Amino acid sequence: MDTPYELSPQQHDAVTALDGPHRYKHFIGRIAHTEVVYGLRTEEGWVSACDDDGAEGLPVWPHPAYALECATGEWAGAAPAGIDVYDFADDWLGAMGERGMNAIVFPTAGMNGVVVDPAQLAADLEEELTQY
């Protein structure tokens, strides 16, 4: 998928510096507007992470540049890949909920992401999509 919008270094730095709740709000607005959400993929599939309790989560971003910035360490070699926002909302989030998997929204290079229950993310996204 093509890059959904131009992201200047200043915009990148300003958004990355936001606290978790503001990055989450930015994420919801951007993916609703561009209709694309990004994850990281390797040849084996989508990358995931576990929290301190061992719960699995899928990291997602509103722009491939943010995802690429996190493709280090155990995710080195992973590449950003786009997911249609409607497929994500209709199929992915439900499947994640069934598996007991959370969404890790907009982690930064320091791996500071917002852990969100897929049902909550689906509700927030649905509400935002009604505005478009």
Side-chain angles (χ1 to χ4, degrees):
M1 293 187 162
D2 294 330
T3 303
Y5 57 94
E6 292 296 319
L7 181 65
S8 74
Q10 295 82 5
Q11 290 170 317
H12 174 276
D13 294 347
V15 173
T16 302
L18 294 172
D19 64 9
H22 286 100
R23 277 196 329 277
Y24 180 75
K25 183 175 178 159
H26 176 85
F27 169 82
I28 293 293
R30 279 295 187 179
I31 68 170
H33 179 75
T34 62
E35 299 183 350
V36 181
V37 60
Y38 290 87
L40 284 172
R41 280 189 65 95
T42 66
E43 290 181 10
E44 290 81 37
W46 298 95
V47 303
S48 63
C50 291
D51 66 17
D52 294 338
D53 297 324
E56 188 178 15
L58 177 73
V60 289
W61 296 268
H63 192 282
Y66 298 118
L68 189 59
E69 189 173 72
C70 293
T72 63
E74 67 182 71
W75 296 348
I83 306 163
D84 176 84
V85 75
Y86 296 101
D87 290 342
F88 183 70
D90 295 341
D91 301 327
W92 287 61
L93 292 173
M96 288 168 60
E98 289 172 8
R99 291 182 52 196
M101 185 178 204
N102 289 315
I104 305 170
V105 174
F106 209 148
T108 61
M111 292 301 148
N112 296 318
V114 179
V115 177
V116 182
D117 178 82
Q120 181 64 53
L121 179 52
D124 293 343
L125 184 55
E126 181 178 333
E127 181 179 330
E128 188 72 18
L129 285 168
T130 63
Q131 298 179 35
Y132 287 92

